[in-house]
Amino acid sequence: MRITAKFYDDKNFKRGFSRSGFTIREATILETYGRTMQSLLNGVFVPESDAEHRFVEQVKDQPTEISEFAQCWLKYQNKINFKPKFYTLCSTQRSSADRSDDNDDSPSNDLD
């Protein structure tokens, strides 16, 4: 793989890769080769070596056995494309008339 400028993704990983769930090795690979990997997949760079050809094939086809570079890139893609599910809790407020009924000491005929 070619080495270009350092790769940072401040939009998704403001604290850096190593503090965002990547191992030290994965963070180093992404920082060192991330721009090359991104350019290869976007078509900016044409694969020159066997390693670069394998990387592009492995990321696109995702076979069972993949290289460390492809594994790091796929993990990066999964993290930036993950959309957490949000749930909201809603409740209704009881009106003041309902509350006064609950505090009423009169006998109720609910059992009729």
Side-chain angles (χ1 to χ4, degrees), residues 25-26 29 58 66-73:
R25 176 81 176 137
E26 290 168 340
I29 288 172
Q58 290 173 349
I66 60 174
S67 68
E68 190 175 22
F69 291 105
Q71 193 173 22
C72 287
W73 189 258

Side-chain angles (χ1 to χ4, degrees), residues 44 46 62-63 76 80-81 87 89 95:
V44 176
V46 177
Q62 296 185 13
Y76 167 75
I80 64 171
N81 293 325
Y87 299 98
L89 298 175
S95 68

Side-chain angles (χ1 to χ4, degrees), residues 11-64:
K11 178 183 173 189
N12 296 303
F13 303 102
K14 294 177 177 111
R15 297 172 49 210
F17 295 120
S18 61
R19 294 183 179 195
S20 301
F22 293 95
T23 64
I24 294 171
R25 176 81 176 137
E26 290 168 340
T28 303
I29 288 172
L30 285 172
E31 288 174 2
T32 307
Y33 302 104
R35 286 193 189 271
T36 303
M37 291 188 250
Q38 188 175 41
S39 297
L40 285 168
L41 294 170
N42 291 339
V44 176
F45 288 170
V46 177
E48 293 178 348
S49 66
D50 289 337
E52 291 178 354
H53 281 285
R54 276 194 312 272
F55 169 76
V56 173
E57 289 174 7
Q58 290 173 349
V59 170
K60 290 183 178 179
D61 298 335
Q62 296 185 13
T64 56

